[in-house]
Short mmCIF file of all heavy atoms in Angstrom, two decimals:
data_model
loop_
_atom_site.label_atom_id
_atom_site.label_comp_id
_atom_site.label_asym_id
_atom_site.label_seq_id
_atom_site.Cartn_x
_atom_site.Cartn_y
_atom_site.Cartn_z
N GLU V 69 9.96 -5.63 15.82
CA GLU V 69 10.26 -6.79 15.00
C GLU V 69 8.98 -7.54 14.63
O GLU V 69 7.94 -7.37 15.27
CB GLU V 69 11.21 -7.73 15.73
CG GLU V 69 12.59 -7.14 15.99
CD GLU V 69 13.36 -6.84 14.71
OE1 GLU V 69 13.08 -7.50 13.69
OE2 GLU V 69 14.25 -5.98 14.74
N LEU V 70 9.07 -8.36 13.59
CA LEU V 70 7.93 -9.14 13.11
C LEU V 70 8.20 -10.62 13.30
O LEU V 70 9.35 -11.07 13.19
CB LEU V 70 7.70 -8.87 11.61
CG LEU V 70 7.48 -7.43 11.18
CD1 LEU V 70 7.46 -7.34 9.65
CD2 LEU V 70 6.18 -6.88 11.76
N ILE V 71 7.15 -11.38 13.56
CA ILE V 71 7.26 -12.84 13.59
C ILE V 71 5.92 -13.43 13.19
O ILE V 71 4.88 -13.08 13.73
CB ILE V 71 7.73 -13.35 14.97
CG1 ILE V 71 7.90 -14.87 14.95
CG2 ILE V 71 6.80 -12.89 16.08
CD1 ILE V 71 8.66 -15.41 16.16
N GLY V 72 5.95 -14.31 12.17
CA GLY V 72 4.73 -14.94 11.67
C GLY V 72 4.47 -16.27 12.36
O GLY V 72 5.32 -16.78 13.10
N LEU V 73 3.30 -16.85 12.08
CA LEU V 73 2.94 -18.14 12.67
C LEU V 73 1.86 -18.81 11.84
O LEU V 73 0.91 -18.17 11.41
CB LEU V 73 2.43 -17.95 14.10
CG LEU V 73 1.95 -19.20 14.85
CD1 LEU V 73 2.19 -19.04 16.36
CD2 LEU V 73 0.47 -19.51 14.60
N SER V 74 2.01 -20.12 11.64
CA SER V 74 0.91 -20.96 11.18
C SER V 74 1.15 -22.37 11.70
O SER V 74 2.20 -22.64 12.31
CB SER V 74 0.78 -20.96 9.64
OG SER V 74 1.72 -21.84 9.06
N VAL V 75 0.20 -23.26 11.46
CA VAL V 75 0.30 -24.61 12.02
C VAL V 75 1.06 -25.57 11.10
O VAL V 75 1.01 -26.77 11.29
CB VAL V 75 -1.10 -25.18 12.33
CG1 VAL V 75 -1.77 -24.38 13.43
CG2 VAL V 75 -1.97 -25.20 11.08
N GLU V 76 1.80 -25.04 10.14
CA GLU V 76 2.58 -25.89 9.26
C GLU V 76 4.00 -26.11 9.80
O GLU V 76 4.38 -25.51 10.80
CB GLU V 76 2.63 -25.27 7.86
CG GLU V 76 1.35 -25.51 7.09
CD GLU V 76 0.87 -24.28 6.35
OE1 GLU V 76 1.05 -23.17 6.85
OE2 GLU V 76 0.29 -24.44 5.29
N GLN V 77 4.77 -26.94 9.13
CA GLN V 77 6.11 -27.29 9.57
C GLN V 77 7.14 -26.30 9.00
O GLN V 77 6.86 -25.57 8.05
CB GLN V 77 6.46 -28.71 9.12
CG GLN V 77 5.51 -29.78 9.65
CD GLN V 77 5.53 -29.86 11.17
OE1 GLN V 77 6.59 -29.73 11.79
NE2 GLN V 77 4.38 -30.10 11.78
N VAL V 78 8.33 -26.34 9.59
CA VAL V 78 9.39 -25.42 9.16
C VAL V 78 9.71 -25.58 7.68
O VAL V 78 9.91 -24.60 6.96
CB VAL V 78 10.66 -25.63 10.01
CG1 VAL V 78 11.85 -24.90 9.39
CG2 VAL V 78 10.45 -25.12 11.43
N PHE V 79 9.77 -26.84 7.20
CA PHE V 79 10.15 -27.05 5.79
C PHE V 79 9.16 -26.40 4.84
O PHE V 79 9.52 -25.92 3.77
CB PHE V 79 10.32 -28.54 5.48
CG PHE V 79 9.05 -29.33 5.44
CD1 PHE V 79 8.28 -29.39 4.29
CD2 PHE V 79 8.60 -30.03 6.57
CE1 PHE V 79 7.10 -30.12 4.24
CE2 PHE V 79 7.43 -30.76 6.53
CZ PHE V 79 6.67 -30.80 5.37
N SER V 80 7.87 -26.37 5.22
CA SER V 80 6.86 -25.71 4.40
C SER V 80 7.10 -24.21 4.36
O SER V 80 7.04 -23.58 3.29
CB SER V 80 5.46 -26.01 4.94
OG SER V 80 4.48 -25.31 4.20
N HIS V 81 7.38 -23.63 5.53
CA HIS V 81 7.68 -22.19 5.58
C HIS V 81 8.89 -21.85 4.72
O HIS V 81 8.87 -20.87 3.96
CB HIS V 81 7.96 -21.76 7.02
CG HIS V 81 6.79 -21.81 7.95
ND1 HIS V 81 5.49 -21.72 7.53
CD2 HIS V 81 6.75 -21.91 9.31
CE1 HIS V 81 4.68 -21.78 8.58
NE2 HIS V 81 5.42 -21.91 9.67
N ILE V 82 9.93 -22.67 4.84
CA ILE V 82 11.17 -22.40 4.09
C ILE V 82 10.91 -22.46 2.58
O ILE V 82 11.37 -21.59 1.82
CB ILE V 82 12.27 -23.39 4.50
CG1 ILE V 82 12.70 -23.14 5.95
CG2 ILE V 82 13.48 -23.26 3.56
CD1 ILE V 82 13.67 -24.17 6.48
N LYS V 83 10.18 -23.46 2.14
CA LYS V 83 9.89 -23.59 0.72
C LYS V 83 9.03 -22.44 0.23
O LYS V 83 9.23 -21.92 -0.88
CB LYS V 83 9.20 -24.93 0.44
CG LYS V 83 8.96 -25.21 -1.04
CD LYS V 83 10.28 -25.23 -1.82
CE LYS V 83 10.03 -25.47 -3.30
NZ LYS V 83 11.29 -25.45 -4.08
N TRP V 84 8.07 -22.03 1.05
CA TRP V 84 7.16 -20.94 0.65
C TRP V 84 7.92 -19.62 0.52
O TRP V 84 7.76 -18.91 -0.48
CB TRP V 84 6.05 -20.82 1.69
CG TRP V 84 5.02 -19.78 1.39
CD1 TRP V 84 4.46 -19.48 0.19
CD2 TRP V 84 4.38 -18.92 2.34
NE1 TRP V 84 3.51 -18.47 0.31
CE2 TRP V 84 3.45 -18.13 1.64
CE3 TRP V 84 4.50 -18.77 3.72
CZ2 TRP V 84 2.65 -17.18 2.27
CZ3 TRP V 84 3.71 -17.83 4.36
CH2 TRP V 84 2.79 -17.05 3.63
N ILE V 85 8.77 -19.29 1.49
CA ILE V 85 9.49 -18.02 1.39
C ILE V 85 10.52 -18.07 0.26
O ILE V 85 10.85 -17.04 -0.35
CB ILE V 85 10.15 -17.62 2.73
CG1 ILE V 85 11.17 -18.64 3.20
CG2 ILE V 85 9.08 -17.40 3.79
CD1 ILE V 85 11.87 -18.23 4.50
N GLU V 86 11.02 -19.28 -0.04
CA GLU V 86 11.89 -19.45 -1.21
C GLU V 86 11.11 -19.15 -2.49
O GLU V 86 11.61 -18.48 -3.41
CB GLU V 86 12.44 -20.87 -1.22
CG GLU V 86 13.35 -21.20 -2.38
CD GLU V 86 13.77 -22.67 -2.34
OE1 GLU V 86 13.04 -23.51 -2.93
OE2 GLU V 86 14.78 -22.97 -1.70
N TRP V 87 9.87 -19.66 -2.56
CA TRP V 87 9.00 -19.42 -3.72
C TRP V 87 8.68 -17.94 -3.87
O TRP V 87 8.67 -17.39 -4.98
CB TRP V 87 7.71 -20.23 -3.54
CG TRP V 87 6.78 -20.15 -4.72
CD1 TRP V 87 6.75 -20.96 -5.82
CD2 TRP V 87 5.72 -19.20 -4.90
NE1 TRP V 87 5.76 -20.58 -6.68
CE2 TRP V 87 5.10 -19.50 -6.15
CE3 TRP V 87 5.24 -18.14 -4.15
CZ2 TRP V 87 4.02 -18.76 -6.63
CZ3 TRP V 87 4.17 -17.39 -4.63
CH2 TRP V 87 3.59 -17.71 -5.86
N ILE V 88 8.41 -17.25 -2.74
CA ILE V 88 8.13 -15.81 -2.77
C ILE V 88 9.32 -15.06 -3.34
O ILE V 88 9.17 -14.15 -4.18
CB ILE V 88 7.76 -15.29 -1.36
CG1 ILE V 88 6.40 -15.84 -0.93
CG2 ILE V 88 7.76 -13.77 -1.33
CD1 ILE V 88 6.02 -15.52 0.51
N ARG V 89 10.51 -15.43 -2.92
CA ARG V 89 11.71 -14.76 -3.42
C ARG V 89 11.89 -15.00 -4.92
O ARG V 89 12.23 -14.08 -5.68
CB ARG V 89 12.94 -15.25 -2.65
CG ARG V 89 14.23 -14.54 -3.05
CD ARG V 89 15.41 -14.91 -2.15
NE ARG V 89 15.76 -16.32 -2.27
CZ ARG V 89 15.53 -17.23 -1.34
NH1 ARG V 89 14.94 -16.90 -0.20
NH2 ARG V 89 15.90 -18.50 -1.52
N GLN V 90 11.65 -16.22 -5.37
CA GLN V 90 11.83 -16.55 -6.78
C GLN V 90 10.79 -15.86 -7.66
O GLN V 90 11.10 -15.39 -8.76
CB GLN V 90 11.75 -18.06 -6.97
CG GLN V 90 12.93 -18.82 -6.37
CD GLN V 90 12.73 -20.32 -6.40
OE1 GLN V 90 11.62 -20.82 -6.63
NE2 GLN V 90 13.80 -21.07 -6.16
N CYS V 91 9.56 -15.80 -7.19
CA CYS V 91 8.47 -15.25 -8.02
C CYS V 91 8.32 -13.75 -7.94
O CYS V 91 7.94 -13.10 -8.92
CB CYS V 91 7.14 -15.91 -7.62
SG CYS V 91 7.02 -17.65 -8.08
#
Side-chain angles (χ1 to χ4, degrees):
E69 295 296 335
L70 304 172
I71 182 167
L73 178 150
S74 80
V75 295
E76 282 136 326
Q77 301 297 322
V78 168
F79 71 84
S80 176
H81 292 335
I82 293 173
K83 185 60 181 178
W84 183 40
I85 61 178
E86 180 184 89
W87 184 89
I88 290 173
R89 183 173 65 252
Q90 291 172 346
C91 290

